[in-house]
């Protein structure tokens, strides 16, 4: 089946953002080469599945997200490629601008950085349904699953445009039925390889600044383009908001002005 054409420019901007990153990629080696996607019917999709996606966005704090000017995050160790598979790498900083959907990712000086695909993927992981709040494309139900004892509804949809500026990708969201929080995300990475897929489990959710954030992330099982390593885990270590810098502050290396300082440590739980 030929990919659907990209939606209007506004949706492209809101969905993926403008990725402002360094030239190399730390995360692409997470991608596996084989996955079974659900069979979905042709047509306009399910109105109830689309409604569930919007309900999940509200449960994640959509009103609070839309009031933020900037979000500043720190990670302990993003996964990095190694000669024999994957290993933990250096700490990273990420910046999100809700109004313009811009995304920026930098790592400790001297370490590799991210590509637009890496930044777009991390934005999708952190925001989940919030990144899709204005999505008006096809959404379908797929088979539900149980994750860590939680029954999760499975929503499946095409991403057009795809991650990193590709024409299209496929996305599955696994949303628990009790809190409507995203517990697993699986997405194709056509910008890396036509068959590449990454699945990430999300945990440690906390509501901070009006938004529910997954603070712990882990690859769902082994596998990858560089061999069959064990699952990798990383976490958010810092988060602060509304420093008040313009988008131009993210267009230099290192970042300028108020964007430059590392994210403040997370408050005690």
């Amino acid at each position: 089946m030929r990919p659907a054409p990209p939606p209007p420019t506004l949706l492209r901007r809101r969905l993926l953002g403008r990725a402002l990153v360094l030239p190399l990629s730390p995360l692409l080696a997470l991608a596996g080469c084989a996955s079974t996607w659900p069979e979905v019917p042709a047509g306009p999709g399910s109105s109830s599945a689309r409604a569930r996606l919007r309900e999940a966005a509200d449960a994640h704090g959509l009103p609070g997200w839309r009031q933020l000017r900037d979000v500043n995050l720190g990670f302990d160790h993003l996964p990095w490629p190694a000669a024999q598979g994957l290993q933990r790498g250096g700490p990273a900083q990420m910046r999100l601008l809700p109004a313009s959907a811009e995304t920026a990712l930098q790592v400790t000086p001297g370490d590799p950085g991210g590509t637009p695909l890496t930044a777009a993927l991390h934005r999708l992981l952190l925001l989940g349904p919030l990144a899709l709040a204005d999505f008006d494309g096809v959404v379908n139900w797929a088979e539900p699953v149980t994750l860590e004892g939680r029954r999760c509804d499975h929503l499946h949809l095409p991403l057009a445009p795809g991650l990193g500026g590709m024409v299209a990708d496929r996305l599955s969201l696994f949303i628990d039925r009790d809190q409507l929080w995203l517990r697993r995300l699986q997405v194709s990475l056509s910008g890396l390889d036509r068959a590449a897929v990454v699945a990430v489990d999300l945990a440690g959710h906390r509501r901070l600044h009006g938004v529910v954030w997954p603070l712990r992330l882990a690859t769902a099982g082994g596998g990858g383009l560089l061999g069959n390593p064990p699952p990798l885990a990383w976490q958010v270590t810092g988060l602060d908001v509304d420093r008040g810098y313009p988008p131009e502050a993210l267009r230099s290396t290192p970042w300028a002005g108020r964007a430059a300082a590392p994210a403040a440590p997370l408050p005690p739980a």
Side-chain angles (χ1 to χ4, degrees):
M1 181 179 297
R2 298 176 64 87
T9 301
L10 178 61
L11 179 57
R12 177 190 298 267
R13 181 167 64 88
R14 288 178 174 175
L15 180 61
L16 298 179
R18 296 168 59 187
L20 307 169
V21 291
L22 298 177
L24 301 176
S25 172
L27 188 61
L28 301 187
L30 294 179
C33 291
S35 178
T36 301
W37 292 106
E39 294 292 333
V40 294
S46 166
S47 60
S48 61
R50 188 177 297 108
R52 177 57 56 86
L53 179 60
R54 292 170 180 163
E55 292 168 357
D58 288 337
H60 279 252
L62 181 59
W65 166 250
R66 286 177 167 165
Q67 292 178 8
L68 297 176
R69 295 177 61 187
D70 54 76
V71 179
N72 312 285
L73 298 119
F75 297 90
D76 60 347
H77 291 83
L78 293 183
W80 306 103
Q84 299 300 320
L86 298 176
Q87 65 182 11
R88 297 177 65 81
Q93 292 286 316
M94 191 171 189
R95 304 290 182 260
L96 302 170
L97 301 183
S100 64
E102 295 197 38
T103 303
L105 179 67
Q106 288 186 350
V107 298
T108 301
D111 286 331
T115 65
L117 177 56
T118 308
L121 177 56
H122 267 90
R123 182 176 188 273
L124 192 57
L125 289 171
L126 289 167
L127 298 180
L130 296 176
L132 299 159
D134 297 310
F135 184 78
D136 59 359
V138 173
V139 185
N140 277 294
W141 297 105
E143 286 296 320
V145 301
T146 299
L147 301 173
E148 299 294 328
R150 299 182 183 90
R151 195 62 171 166
C152 296
D153 287 324
H154 180 181
L155 303 181
H156 187 75
L157 55 96
L159 279 180
L163 295 181
M166 301 306 294
V167 173
D169 278 303
R170 300 185 70 174
L171 174 66
S172 281
L173 304 172
F174 299 87
I175 297 169
D176 76 64
R177 292 177 175 175
D178 295 327
Q179 296 169 295
L180 297 181
W181 291 354
L182 182 65
R183 300 291 177 174
R184 175 177 289 175
L185 184 147
Q186 179 174 296
V187 64
S188 65
L189 300 178
S190 59
L192 179 63
D193 181 273
R194 290 184 62 185
V197 176
V198 64
V200 177
D201 287 331
L202 310 169
H205 296 73
R206 287 180 62 186
R207 191 176 296 274
L208 298 168
H209 308 291
V211 175
V212 174
W213 304 95
L215 302 182
R216 298 197 305 273
L217 305 91
T219 55
L225 294 179
L226 300 180
N228 190 33
L232 292 177
W234 63 108
Q235 62 184 348
V236 176
T237 57
L239 192 156
D240 64 71
V241 303
D242 291 349
R243 296 184 184 181
Y245 51 82
E248 291 75 20
L250 303 177
R251 294 172 186 165
S252 62
T253 303
W255 297 323
R258 295 178 180 177
L266 292 174

